[in-house]
Amino acid sequence: MKLYSIIYDDRQVAQYTPYDNTHVRTVEQKSYLFEYNAMLQLEPTFEDEEHYGIFSCRFDLKTGLRWADLQELLHFYNYEKYDLITLCRPLPMPYLYMSELHHPGFTELLTLICEKIGLAVIEPRIVIYSNQFIAKAYLYRNYINEILRPSIELLDGEFRELAFRDSKYKINKDIEKTTGLPYYTMHTFILERLLSLYIENMPIKILQLFP
C-alpha cells in the first residue's frame, strides 16, 4: 500500500509519504485543482498490485485517524481483498442535495459534466468526499483516466464560466496565497463527487470503515 500526504506549504507536516505541491501557486498551474494535480501526476507511477491513497495533509484531522489506527483497521479487515476502501463518516443528509445547499449552482454543473462523461446523477449509495479513499491501482487508474481527466477538460473548457464561479466555501482565509484566486472554484466540489457516481453499479468489493 502506498499512501501520500499532499503538502501545500512548508509549515505542513506529512503523515504519509509527502507529495510536494508547494510550487503550484497560480491559475496557469491549475492551482485550483488541489489534490487532483497530485493524482494526475502520480497515476503513471501506479504499480498494478498496489493500493493507493492520496490524501490532504489534514487527513488525520478530518477523519480522526492516525496512521497507526488506520494501519490496524486495514489489516484487521484484510484490506488486500478489497478494490476500494472508503474512509468517510456518514453525512447528515443526502450527499448531492447537501452539495447544492453549500455550493449554489453545483447541481447544474454536475449534471452538465455527467451528461458528457456518461454518469447518472443520482444520490449515491456509497458516499466518498475529500478524497478519503484507498483504491487498487487498476480502479484508481481507470477513475483518473475515464472520469477525472475528461471532466477537468470540460471544467476548464466548455463549462469554464460555471466552473470558475465562487463555490462559497470559506474555510481557508489564505486561499489566495495558495491558488492566486480569492475563492475556491467549483472544480474540486464537482470532481470529488464523481467517484461515488462512477462506482454506483460496479461489481467491485468495497470496504466502508465508517458504514
Side-chain angles (χ1 to χ4, degrees):
M1 176 178 293
K2 295 187 178 180
L3 305 180
Y4 295 88
S5 296
I6 304 172
I7 301 300
Y8 296 100
D9 69 53
D10 296 332
R11 297 168 297 174
Q12 295 172 335
V13 177
Q15 191 175 14
Y16 306 104
T17 301
Y19 179 88
D20 186 356
N21 202 64
T22 58
H23 63 288
V24 179
R25 286 285 184 271
T26 67
V27 173
E28 291 72 23
Q29 295 172 297
K30 298 186 184 293
S31 57
Y32 49 85
L33 292 179
F34 296 99
E35 287 101 321
Y36 297 97
N37 282 319
M39 290 182 189
L40 298 179
Q41 292 297 316
L42 288 168
E43 180 268 325
T45 72
F46 286 179
E47 299 172 14
D48 288 343
E49 300 306 314
E50 286 282 6
H51 283 74
Y52 289 87
I54 302 171
F55 303 140
S56 160
C57 63
R58 299 176 62 246
F59 173 81
D60 56 332
L61 298 176
K62 292 179 177 180
T63 62
L65 289 173
R66 298 171 302 168
W67 167 226
D69 301 323
L70 179 58
Q71 190 173 34
E72 182 178 348
L73 283 168
L74 291 172
H75 286 288
F76 176 81
Y77 286 108
N78 191 15
Y79 78 88
E80 292 97 339
K81 66 182 181 181
Y82 293 98
D83 299 290
L84 180 69
I85 301 105
T86 71
L87 308 166
C88 299
R89 298 181 187 277
L91 296 174
M93 62 183 74
Y95 192 20
L96 302 187
Y97 173 77
M98 188 173 76
S99 299
E100 177 65 28
L101 291 181
H102 288 285
H103 314 295
F106 165 85
T107 303
E108 176 190 10
L109 184 52
L110 179 70
T111 301
L112 290 169
I113 294 294
C114 287
E115 286 176 350
K116 291 285 188 177
I117 63 174
L119 293 181
V121 180
I122 57 173
E123 286 292 349
R125 293 177 297 110
I126 307 295
V127 171
I128 303 169
Y129 53 81
S130 299
N131 297 311
Q132 293 170 192
F133 69 91
I134 298 167
K136 277 189 176 177
Y138 87 90
L139 180 61
Y140 217 139
R141 185 181 293 120
N142 291 346
Y143 162 59
I144 289 172
N145 290 321
E146 296 175 11
I147 302 299
L148 289 184
R149 291 188 191 277
S151 296
I152 290 168
E153 185 175 340
L154 288 165
L155 290 167
D156 284 348
E158 185 174 351
F159 304 123
R160 184 179 180 86
E161 184 175 347
L162 295 175
F164 274 90
R165 288 187 300 185
D166 185 349
S167 67
K168 308 302 181 184
Y169 186 63
K170 303 298 184 185
I171 194 169
N172 186 355
K173 295 179 180 178
D174 295 327
I175 182 65
E176 194 159 4
K177 295 178 182 178
T178 305
T179 66
L181 291 165
Y183 56 80
Y184 286 87
T185 69
M186 297 291 282
H187 290 74
T188 54
F189 304 102
I190 295 295
L191 295 173
E192 73 175 333
R193 274 74 175 168
L194 295 177
L195 181 57
S196 293
L197 302 181
Y198 180 55
I199 65 168
E200 181 65 20
N201 294 310
M202 278 189 174
I204 59 176
K205 293 182 178 179
I206 300 175
L207 170 63
Q208 294 177 266
L209 284 189
F210 304 112

